[in-house]
Amino acid sequence: MKYRRTISAVCLVAVLQAVLSGCSRKQSAEQMWLTMGTYATVTVPPREMHRIEECLNVATSLTARVENSLSLFMPDSDLSRLNASDGRTVAVNEDTRAILAMSIKYGELTDGCFDSTVTPLVRLWGFNKGNVPPVPPSAEAIHEALQKVGFRQIILSGNKAAFRAPGMEVDSGGIAKGYAVDLCHDELARRGVKNVMINVAGNLRVRGTSKGGRPWRIGVRDPFDRERLLGTLELPHGMAVSTSGNYERFVVIEGRRYAHIIDPRTGIPVEGMAGVTALCTTATEADAMSTALFVLGPAQAPSVLSRLPDCHALLVPDTQPLRILVTPGFRRYFTPVPDHADRLEDLP
Ligand code: ADP
Ligand code: MG
């Protein structure tokens, strides 16, 4: 209930902002709301201004629909019921079914580096609902948690889902925001909104063009300095972007920092990567791939990327001096800030 009041307060602020920005005809309109434990925005250029409220209403209700299906903080959500199912088969709705199917698809495509069943490991290392342990988990504890990890142990048949191994749990945190962005994108496209950008916590997708018919442009943040950019990315119509970094969410155990993305092959948080940005044709793919490429790192990323010709990426290793590794497809749309122009390298 308290949660609902917060959301309404944010919507009210957003509506006021729209009224204010409506006074200046040349400005793009942007609306913000809270969903899935984070912020989201929808933006339209001046010529699409009259549709901003419709965009906000559509996006707010679709993201709430996804959140209600997948939230691990709501005991009645599909995912909470599935995680508590103890081997029993559970009926799931269309969104949950699609998320599980996509999770399996990207698990296969990334050789298991994207694995939405990493939950026992996520908790073991103190993320999400876990408590941060005073010392790193033992090899035995990691081994035990790994027994409950494996996307191939998800059984999905029509609108029914179940787990093959006991103790399994799905965490859709690495893909659900992208999925929600695609839902909003597709519904706004169906309604004939031609120029719009939908953004859920840095998972975003565009349609058409921005102000003055110019391409939508977004900044790619420097993973070593949140206040600075590595460069800007021009987004062609329909394309989506997602960034995964080790700077946003991490735990500190015995003075050492551990990233919130875990290598499902070892059970240990990924080391050696600072940030990854994926540019793909859907936000679901960009979300899953930014997480997966963070696990894969520069040595293994190219072979997986070769299976996805429309997925382009930028990888920043967690080393100094700064290196910005980009695929040829990413380079086409990316302009580094002048300071970093000489830092760009081809991802081999
Ligand atoms: P964010 O949630 O910060 O946007 P990501 O999209 O990269 O970042 O997703 C990270 C989340 O996904 C983690 O918080 C965790 O819940 C889950 N996760 C961690 N490691 C993996 C992995 N290897 N595969 C899939 N999901 C993961
Ligand atoms: Mg992701």
Side-chain angles (χ1 to χ4, degrees):
M1 195 60 199
K2 187 169 171 223
Y3 175 70
R4 285 226 177 89
R5 270 206 300 274
T6 316
I7 298 278
S8 335
V10 170
C11 290
L12 183 65
V13 172
V15 170
L16 284 174
Q17 271 173 354
V19 173
L20 291 175
S21 52
C23 300
S24 159
R25 296 195 157 208
K26 296 258 156 58
Q27 291 301 311
S28 297
E30 181 164 285
Q31 299 284 21
M32 197 265 272
W33 73 105
L34 295 181
T35 182
M36 304 167 101
T38 183
Y39 72 92
T41 57
V42 60
T43 313
V44 295
R47 63 191 183 287
E48 205 97 41
M49 179 87 88
H50 58 288
R51 304 204 66 174
I52 187 68
E53 275 190 50
E54 178 187 359
C55 291
L56 178 67
N57 289 337
V58 166
T60 314
S61 75
L62 288 176
T63 50
R65 193 179 96 187
V66 176
E67 181 170 23
N68 290 336
S69 302
L70 303 173
S71 171
L72 298 180
F73 296 97
M74 300 179 187
D76 290 342
S77 75
D78 271 14
L79 224 48
S80 293
R81 287 189 304 106
L82 180 61
N83 287 348
S85 65
D86 207 15
R88 287 187 303 273
T89 298
V90 168
V92 293
N93 66 30
E94 177 53 28
D95 292 320
T96 310
R97 193 203 59 75
I99 289 271
L100 291 172
M102 290 293 176
S103 300
I104 295 168
K105 171 181 168 181
Y106 288 104
E108 294 289 356
L109 273 167
T110 62
D111 300 332
C113 288
F114 182 86
D115 193 325
S116 60
T117 66
V118 289
T119 325
L121 291 163
V122 168
R123 190 166 312 116
L124 189 64
W125 286 92
F127 297 102
N128 292 358
K129 286 196 240 166
N131 293 319
V132 180
V135 293
S138 64
E140 293 75 42
I142 293 172
H143 178 77
E144 200 189 312
L146 277 170
Q147 306 310 304
K148 303 172 200 157
V149 174
F151 68 92
R152 292 197 176 88
Q153 308 300 321
I154 302 173
I155 307 165
L156 189 62
S157 170
N159 70 337
K160 300 262 167 51
F163 295 142
R164 273 199 195 94
M168 282 179 65
E169 287 177 63
V170 164
D171 168 355
S172 65
I175 195 166
K177 295 192 262 320
Y179 173 80
V181 168
D182 283 336
L183 268 191
C184 298
H185 170 276
D186 294 350
E187 176 58 17
L188 294 176
R190 200 185 62 75
R191 288 167 175 255
V193 177
K194 291 198 171 60
N195 305 285
V196 64
M197 174 162 74
I198 308 116
N199 178 5
V200 179
N203 299 273
L204 56 91
R205 187 161 174 197
V206 301
R207 286 185 58 70
T209 54
S210 159
K211 222 165 122 181
R214 291 187 291 277
W216 291 102
R217 292 177 77 208
I218 59 143
V220 178
R221 207 181 266 167
D222 182 342
F224 298 109
D225 182 351
R226 287 179 60 89
E227 305 303 313
R228 298 185 52 160
L229 295 182
L230 294 179
T232 53
L233 193 57
E234 258 185 31
L235 292 175
H237 171 65
M239 293 288 276
V241 160
S242 170
T243 295
S244 291
N246 73 359
Y247 51 89
E248 302 229 295
R249 280 164 56 209
F250 53 85
V251 290
V252 178
I253 305 172
E254 287 185 325
R256 195 162 150 194
R257 209 166 101 161
Y258 293 92
H260 72 308
I261 296 176
I262 296 182
D263 188 334
R265 300 167 298 185
T266 61
I268 297 171
V270 175
E271 288 179 288
M273 286 302 294
V276 171
T277 298
L279 171 64
C280 304
T281 49
T282 66
T284 308
E285 181 162 304
D287 195 2
M289 287 308 293
S290 68
T291 307
L293 292 166
F294 198 90
V295 176
L296 287 156
Q300 294 163 343
S303 78
V304 168
L305 281 168
S306 69
R307 300 170 194 160
L308 292 160
D310 296 325
C311 178
H312 315 295
L314 171 152
L315 276 70
V316 179
D318 194 6
T319 49
Q320 291 295 334
L322 173 73
R323 294 174 71 202
I324 307 172
L325 309 173
V326 286
T327 62
F330 199 96
R331 196 189 270 269
R332 210 175 308 139
Y333 304 108
F334 182 68
T335 309
V337 295
D339 274 6
H340 294 333
D342 61 341
R343 298 275 145 216
L344 226 55
E345 292 173 43
D346 287 323
L347 186 65

